[in-house]
Amino acid sequence: MDVLFGRDKKEHPEPLRATVTGKIPTWLQGTLLRNGPGMHTVGETRYNHWFDGLALLHSFTIRDGEVHYRSKYLRSDTYNANIEANRIVVSEFGTMAYPDPCKNIFSKAFSYLSHIIPDFTDNCLINIMKSGEDFYATTETNYIRKINPHTLETLEKVDYRKYVIVNLATSHPHYDAAGNVLNMGTAIVDKGKTKYVIFKIPATVPEDRMKRKNPLKHTEVLCSIASHSRLHPSYYHSFGVTENYIVFLEQPFKLDIPKMATAYIRGASWASCMAFHREDKTYIHIIDQRTGKPMPTKFYTDPMVVFHHVNAYEEDSCLLFDVIAYEDGSLYQCFYLANLNQDFEENFKFTSVPTLKRFAVPLCIDKNAEEGSNLIKLASTTARALKEKDDQVYCQPELLHKGLEMPRINYAYNGKPYRYVFAAEVQWSPIPTKILKYDILTKSSLKWGEEHCWPAEPLFVPTPGATDEDDGIILSVIVSSNPQKLPFLLILDASSFTELARAHVDVDMHLDLHGLFIPDADLDSRKQVPSQEVQDKASDCHVASQT
């Protein structure tokens, strides 16, 4: 287990040629760009939680049947400060960093005060986001880091708060047909109120004469939703979208703001200030994108924890959305490094299995319907929405499939009726053992697995000109619990789920979390584009020469 979770990984910034077996489709030309934690020890200090590790980007460039691999640590301010000090000096969610014992009392006092309203980390280790022509490493704080997708070089640090007031933001944005980014975040006690903010970053903006266009400057707030509790907002990792609506689950997995403000003084981590409240409801917010207003009906369901939305769509005046749901918040506890020992698979079990659930919400409410009546009349689902008094509707899901996580779909079907979910199969342990293709229509599945192999999130890439939803390939990075077995990039036929090729790389590869595939056509336009920082300096010089 230590081979995969506990050992720090070495970066490989120069491309390494992989050994390819099988045949890669000739049309597959581009770069798979992935993100995840790679370093958990700095000097003699160690992070407490696997999700705290320093971000290690890695990429697989696929071109003309060959694959080249490279990896590079994100040179965040967090990384630089830690490496310079040779110890962990920037707090992460599961690890609180404290001043050097040799520092004077004034330094210690400043550290205590700065953690009451903390400036969160820019260790962006969760995902990769595309905005306009740019790519960013993302986490769940207000910071994102621009990166060069070719070299994995770290570029500008971006603070969302310059454009929209949020202290936290998801790492799972959505993209509409025009390429605009939809995301949401939490504004903690902003002007006395805690709210969830949904915002849009445009794909294109008018070009500035002196500087290259920056879509972030044109970020637009679509909607703000007040938290049910000002001091105990919901934690959320993702949300859903359809053509006309946004789906947000305010779940009873909550942050305790007063505890977070005093965590540093108490010697506690911010993660210890997050708790599942089994006695509370999960509130379902449906926001109309056309008006920016939530539906007035109070939809809710039983307490649950959702990290990943799968998809959502509209059908016959109803909105259906699919999520991977847990009955509690135990998943986060699994990944404390103290638990990730050699007996992990035998000794640590989920208290609930991640389950694919489908919910249905009526977009038009029959005011004359009787209390207790089911407002969902669709033949395609057994999900129910029961009318209650005081304009409330209780939603009961349809259980589709147990034991899957890290779901992906053919993104061309995002927000639309769809059929297939690609995911990692997990059961009572969070360790993925197989890749799963689940057919929602037939309730059947196809699987790929190999002994000692742990697959990462399976990413779907469509065949050019494809008309069938599953016409394409699956890319998944595979690492092994057997140190004698090299990691590899797996390429599957998404339709038959048969193996087409694999590309072995002779490196100690890390387990990653999320990422995206960038077709060569999208990368070509960036090859000669300097970073915004370089352009700003050039602009300043140009202005100076005119004064």
Side-chain angles (χ1 to χ4, degrees), residues 207-239:
E207 190 149 356
D208 189 299
R209 187 176 64 86
M210 296 296 294
K211 296 182 180 180
R212 186 166 148 262
K213 55 190 177 182
N214 181 3
L216 284 160
K217 291 182 178 179
H218 299 265
T219 299
E220 172 190 2
V221 173
L222 298 181
C223 179
S224 293
I225 302 168
S227 170
H228 271 81
S229 172
R230 182 166 61 93
L231 296 178
H232 299 86
S234 174
Y235 168 82
Y236 53 97
H237 186 71
S238 62
F239 62 102

Side-chain angles (χ1 to χ4, degrees), residues 226-293:
S227 170
H228 271 81
S229 172
R230 182 166 61 93
L231 296 178
H232 299 86
S234 174
Y235 168 82
Y236 53 97
H237 186 71
S238 62
F239 62 102
V241 299
T242 71
E243 182 181 355
N244 297 302
Y245 297 91
I246 293 170
V247 182
F248 166 56
L249 299 180
E250 189 176 7
Q251 57 195 12
F253 196 31
K254 298 180 181 180
L255 302 170
D256 188 318
I257 302 305
K259 282 188 176 181
M260 290 184 71
T262 60
Y264 190 81
I265 298 171
R266 293 184 293 108
S269 69
W270 288 318
S272 69
C273 308
M274 187 166 64
F276 179 65
H277 297 259
R278 193 178 300 276
E279 71 282 2
D280 290 349
K281 301 173 181 177
T282 298
Y283 296 99
I284 303 170
H285 299 281
I286 308 297
I287 300 94
D288 193 324
Q289 295 191 55
R290 297 160 295 188
T291 64
K293 295 181 179 180

Side-chain angles (χ1 to χ4, degrees), residues 25 132 140 168 174 210 217 261 283 311 332 385 437 482 532:
E140 294 187 320
L168 304 168
H174 285 275
M210 296 296 294
K217 291 182 178 179
Y283 296 99
N311 200 5
Y332 192 84
K437 175 187 179 182
N482 179 357
Q532 187 69 49

Side-chain angles (χ1 to χ4, degrees), residues 188-200:
I188 299 174
V189 197
D190 174 40
K191 298 178 181 178
K193 297 180 180 179
T194 297
K195 55 190 177 183
Y196 311 107
V197 181
I198 300 168
F199 57 94
K200 179 171 73 173

Side-chain angles (χ1 to χ4, degrees), residues 34-35 55-59 70-72 74 128 137 147 152:
R34 307 282 299 171
N35 198 354
L56 180 57
L57 305 169
H58 64 163
S59 66
R70 72 167 86 206
S71 63
K72 192 174 180 67
L74 185 77
I128 306 294
I147 60 172
L152 307 184

Side-chain angles (χ1 to χ4, degrees), residues 382-396:
T382 59
R384 289 152 45 98
L386 305 179
K387 186 177 180 182
E388 296 183 345
K389 61 182 179 180
D390 300 327
D391 204 28
Q392 292 192 100
V393 174
Y394 169 53
C395 298
Q396 293 179 327

